[in-house]
Amino acid sequence: MALTTWLPPILQSLFSVHSIIERTVIKHSRFLLLMLFILGAGYIYVSHTQSIALQQQLLQNPKIDDVYIVDLGRIQTERQYQAQYRIAQVRQVAENNIVLAQSDTTYRRKRDALRAIKLDSVMLDGFFRTDRLTFERLQLASLFEIDAIDDAYRARDIYVMGGIVKQRQKPMPINHKITSDIGLTMHNNEGIRLYHQKDFTLALAAFNTAAKAGDAWAQYNLAGMFELGEGTNINLTQAHYWYQKAALQGHQRAQHALTLLCESQPLHCKSQTLSDTH
């Protein structure tokens, strides 16, 4: 009884509200469409502005494994412009310079480069060229302004736009000081690859980065390059320092190399201690 009493007024109210809304929409349709257009354009503008600001921050503070879309056509100004998009990934970050690996494939359309990232192409063997791109860190902002660096991304975990762009880090072992029998770090692996390509200068820089982070294998490799003068002048002080650093972590090869170095240079080793600056 109560339902049949209240239902007709409720339905009548709903119909009235619907009628008012319909008349209002018809009467002010142009105004509403204009408001929707303004709101949509405002949202696109704010999103674009935030994206630009985020990318500028990434370029001001580059990190290993950051991914850039680079248009070489904007850089090679000596000839008529033609889009030449390549995928670039940060390999080394120094105080003044940044070294990028560049894709072997050149893309005519930016969307093709983005699609390659989404398809995990960055992780394929041979995807990157052996020759590197080197820019001054202060140069990155100006390259971004002229669209020579079209986009900049930082991986979330290991992904950029759903595509894998770097290896997932292995969990740290309980005894994190024991590094000699644990998998090699990324920078050390990069140093080994560069060393085999006889790019000793960049290999030395990669080993140095990993050695300073505490990688015993990198410390051992770095010491060997200083001992032999590969990519630098012979520096037995540096060799002794890094051999000793690795040896103290239980690296057996470093311990053996340190023994041989001290046997051949006893006076040198006696005058060096781990506290010496390197």
Side-chain angles (χ1 to χ4, degrees), residues 36-92:
L36 287 173
F37 175 79
I38 292 174
L39 290 173
Y43 174 78
I44 293 173
Y45 174 77
V46 170
S47 298
H48 178 70
T49 302
Q50 291 177 340
S51 175
I52 294 296
L54 176 60
Q55 293 183 74
Q56 288 174 336
Q57 291 177 6
L58 296 182
L59 293 172
Q60 289 172 4
N61 183 31
K63 293 186 177 180
I64 300 296
D65 293 324
D66 283 356
V67 176
Y68 302 157
I69 302 296
V70 177
D71 185 0
L72 294 182
R74 300 289 183 185
I75 300 175
Q76 300 170 349
T77 56
E78 68 277 2
R79 58 184 182 181
Q80 185 177 1
Y81 171 74
Q82 186 177 22
Q84 300 179 58
Y85 292 106
R86 288 184 188 169
I87 300 169
Q89 190 167 35
V90 178
R91 287 290 187 257
Q92 295 177 35

Side-chain angles (χ1 to χ4, degrees), residues 103-119:
S103 62
D104 189 54
T105 302
T106 300
Y107 305 90
R108 295 303 178 191
R109 299 177 299 181
K110 177 181 171 182
R111 66 182 183 183
D112 293 332
L114 296 175
R115 184 171 181 271
I117 295 175
K118 294 177 181 179
L119 293 176

